[in-house]
Amino acid sequence: MNRHRLDFAIVGAGIVGMAQAALLAVRHPGMRMALLESAPETALKPAEHYEPRVVALTQASRELLEEVGAWAGISAARACPYVEMRVWDADGTGSVRFTSRDVQLPNLGHIVENNVIVSALRSRLKSLPNVELVNGFRLESWWRDCGLWHLQSRGDQVNALEGLREQPEIVRTRLLVGADGVRSRVRDLLHIRCQDTDYHQTALVCVARCEKPHRHTAWQCFLQTGPLAFLPLAGLGDDNHCAVVWSADNELARELLMLDDWAFALNLEKAFEGRLGKVESVSERLSFPLRARHAEHYQGPGAVLVGDAAHSIHPLAGQGVNLGLQDVRVLGDEVDRALSRGLEPAHPSVLARYERRRRGDNAATLKAMSAFKSLFGAGELHWRWLRNTGLNMVDASPMLKKRIILRAMAV
């Protein structure tokens, strides 16, 4: 493919970046695009063991993955539908139970490992003739001229076949899409600042094998030191494995990371109140600091941000990737609208409309997650009474539960 004049260049080949490339390629087969990724290409397929990093895909996200032709590959590998969600306050008596029966649907969503989604999207992209995945493209310099972004790689990659150092490459594109994560180079080149909130917590993720089966239920316990989630996994022989996401205050997280697997499993079982019996084993633990970031703008001249490049949130509701996929859908819709009106996809009015449609919604979600984090982390008696009363009131109201479920499934 001629990379010297593309219609779209997407920087970042994570879930959101690949989904954006696939959506644009499927909807506009006559347009050319490239997906630029700094890392070298590696063989990726679902492993023989569960990966601890998972996504709780909503109905809206599944529909997007169906549209781009990736869902068949995901479901053929492994995706665990969950039909129930149980939430409770460990420091009180409040609890709420959501079920798919509340909304007359077969499930509330799917828990899917990151590498399963990435593998399916990459396979789909390779089947599309108008999109190219360019690995080893480390963005070094850029300039805008004649309505095009000119993106230059470092030029220090080594050609594995010939053992020669490659020359810098320049990609030229009409619309530049930054899907390159929380440390976005595209956001930097647009000189867009971020509002940054440190939660002073660390997320610990692993896979746990429990004594009892998960019953296709997502479990979330609110501890004063942070939320703990057990998310069901399936596809490797039993229903006893869960992906664990434990968001703990930094001091507690450091202590937990120092424990051996046996001691950590005991602490995990105690914090989870033994809801699934004994925690029989745990995988290797991964950890990452928790911060909320929100870009002050989502667009600049001929360029736009999607996913974590624009926003990142606390994982307590599992909405990060889902919000990014909604960015993907809205940007795709705005490109469709622009082309139908004879406008350039990078026209300022098109990108401004995308920002208006997404920034407010994402800002509201970020504020809600911060409020939940503060509410469930408060130890004072009146706050404990408020959150426990609120959970029980929601549980007692079928109409309110239905509204909450439908709102969450639409993200």
Side-chain angles (χ1 to χ4, degrees), residues 253-269:
R254 284 192 291 268
E255 294 173 3
L256 292 171
L257 285 168
M258 293 176 64
L259 300 175
D260 61 27
D261 288 351
W262 178 81
F264 178 75
L266 283 179
N267 276 266
L268 188 58
E269 180 185 318

Side-chain angles (χ1 to χ4, degrees), residues 111-331:
I111 307 299
V112 189
E113 300 150 81
N114 280 28
N115 63 351
V116 171
I117 304 173
V118 169
S119 178
L121 280 168
R122 182 174 293 175
S123 177
R124 177 58 176 142
L125 284 171
K126 288 184 175 180
S127 72
L128 296 170
N130 59 329
V131 60
E132 181 179 4
L133 177 58
V134 183
N135 282 97
F137 191 98
R138 285 167 284 191
L139 189 58
E140 177 67 13
S141 59
W142 48 81
W143 62 96
R144 186 163 168 77
D145 183 41
C146 299
L148 296 176
W149 275 105
H150 302 247
L151 312 173
Q152 182 172 296
S153 69
R154 285 185 182 177
D156 56 0
Q157 308 98 294
V158 174
N159 186 310
L161 294 178
E162 301 177 9
L164 299 175
R165 193 168 300 278
E166 296 181 354
Q167 296 299 311
E169 180 178 7
I170 296 177
V171 170
R172 297 173 177 86
T173 184
R174 296 161 63 191
L175 177 62
L176 172 62
V177 180
D180 48 344
V182 294
R183 298 180 180 85
S184 171
R185 293 278 283 166
V186 175
R187 191 178 64 228
D188 289 344
L189 74 86
L190 295 173
H191 304 290
I192 295 175
R193 295 183 298 179
C194 272
Q195 301 162 353
D196 199 321
T197 301
D198 189 344
Y199 287 123
H200 304 289
Q201 289 186 333
T202 299
L204 280 65
V205 298
C206 68
V207 174
R209 191 184 192 282
C210 302
E211 179 185 9
K212 299 177 182 179
H214 50 62
R215 307 196 298 276
H216 290 265
T217 298
W219 311 75
Q220 186 157 48
C221 172
F222 283 99
L223 307 163
Q224 192 171 333
T225 53
L228 168 62
F230 273 56
L231 306 174
L233 296 170
L236 290 179
D238 63 38
D239 289 339
N240 293 67
H241 286 85
C242 290
V244 174
V245 184
W246 192 345
S247 303
D249 291 343
N250 287 334
E251 183 177 352
L252 174 59
R254 284 192 291 268
E255 294 173 3
L256 292 171
L257 285 168
M258 293 176 64
L259 300 175
D260 61 27
D261 288 351
W262 178 81
F264 178 75
L266 283 179
N267 276 266
L268 188 58
E269 180 185 318
K270 181 180 178 181
F272 193 57
E273 302 176 2
R275 295 288 177 114
L276 294 176
K278 293 181 179 179
V279 175
E280 297 179 340
S281 64
V282 293
S283 71
E284 176 188 7
R285 280 158 273 163
L286 305 176
S287 66
F288 52 91
L290 294 179
R291 307 179 73 92
R293 296 179 177 87
H294 200 197
E296 293 183 352
H297 300 285
Y298 283 14
Q299 47 90 25
V304 69
L305 304 176
V306 295
D308 283 355
H311 48 81
S312 59
I313 66 173
H314 196 288
L316 67 87
Q319 293 301 315
V321 169
N322 292 307
L323 291 176
L325 292 176
Q326 287 308 296
D327 294 346
V328 167
R329 181 181 293 282
V330 171
L331 181 58

